[in-house]
Amino acid sequence: MSGYSGVSGATPRVLLTGFEPFGGESANPSWQVAEAVAATPPPGLAVTAVQLPCVFGESLTALRSAVAEVEPDLVVCLGQAGGRPGVTVERVAINVDDARIPDNAGAQPIDVPVVPGGPAAYFSTLPVKACVAAMREAGVPAALSNTAGTFVCNHIAYGLGHLIATELPHIRGGFVHVPWSPAQVTNGTSPSLPIETVATGIRAMLLTAATTHDDLQVTEGATH
């Protein structure tokens, strides 16, 4: 996709969200990365980190409140995708909640729309391929993903897309999955990345998302 506009303004405001731990974990790398980036943001960007509950419905309420408070130019929501070997920028979010496990409030929706009557899907409004390229250039394993799942991550990704499309078209935003941190991997074989490595990649992609006018026309598709 092309036709993106760079974020304007003297100091672009970025809202960066991560999730609380879920599924019995004691930490969530998405929030650890968001905190690290906000503590040492990329030059020229004002980054605010907000933790979202891993709860259907409540997470979107918290996101909406954060957007209203920060009034960002750019919104990037982070989530954990254990098992993926690198940072993955999501291209699309779909209008369905279909939870394999309960959320942190015990809810486990099955085949429920995120937004009743909403479109089947929303594409990210980030220059997704340029963001992937920026992270790779920074030395961080990264890829484009065509599925954000059907759990709370996709719920937030779709909800953000709907908010932008229906109420805040001047904001650009999207969702990014991060892998497990080394502390979460106990079997010694599952892929993981250090928090600061991922934070380095996110800083690079935020700068790209805030300044890139046109996405790269390169192959990042998948055959399955």
Side-chain angles (χ1 to χ4, degrees):
M1 300 178 70
S2 60
Y4 293 94
S5 298
V7 173
S8 61
T11 304
R13 295 183 299 273
V14 179
L15 172 61
L16 185 63
T17 72
F19 282 108
E20 66 184 356
F22 70 97
E25 298 276 0
S26 61
N28 190 317
S30 68
W31 174 239
Q32 293 173 301
V33 169
E35 282 189 302
V37 173
T40 309
L45 298 182
V47 180
T48 301
V50 172
Q51 187 182 81
L52 302 179
C54 190
V55 178
F56 290 101
E58 289 183 24
S59 54
L60 284 178
T61 300
L63 176 63
R64 178 180 284 273
S65 296
V67 169
E69 181 177 350
V70 176
E71 296 184 336
D73 302 291
L74 182 67
V75 181
V76 174
C77 298
L78 306 179
Q80 172 187 300
R84 293 189 184 182
V87 183
T88 46
V89 180
E90 298 297 342
R91 190 202 301 256
V92 63
I94 60 174
N95 192 15
V96 65
D97 294 330
D98 191 4
R100 182 179 60 82
I101 61 174
D103 68 11
N104 283 357
Q108 192 172 2
I110 299 173
D111 299 339
V112 175
V114 180
V115 177
Y122 282 112
F123 284 106
S124 172
T125 58
L126 303 177
V128 291
K129 293 182 177 181
C131 287
V132 169
M135 287 192 282
R136 290 174 179 166
E137 187 174 344
V140 179
L144 186 65
S145 169
N146 294 304
T147 175
T150 55
F151 195 51
V152 185
C153 287
N154 176 78
H155 184 80
I156 277 290
Y158 184 91
L160 173 61
H162 188 72
L163 181 64
I164 291 172
T166 60
E167 299 180 41
L168 300 170
H170 61 285
I171 290 178
R172 301 169 70 197
F175 195 93
V176 179
H177 268 118
V178 305
W180 278 320
S181 70
Q184 294 174 286
V185 176
T186 58
N187 60 17
T189 58
S190 296
S192 65
L193 284 176
I195 296 300
E196 189 49 45
T197 298
V198 179
T200 296
I202 297 301
R203 292 185 188 101
M205 75 148 289
L206 290 180
L207 278 173
T208 296
T211 59
T212 299
H213 292 268
D214 296 294
D215 203 5
L216 299 178
Q217 297 296 298
V218 295
T219 298
E220 289 288 349
T223 56
H224 59 83

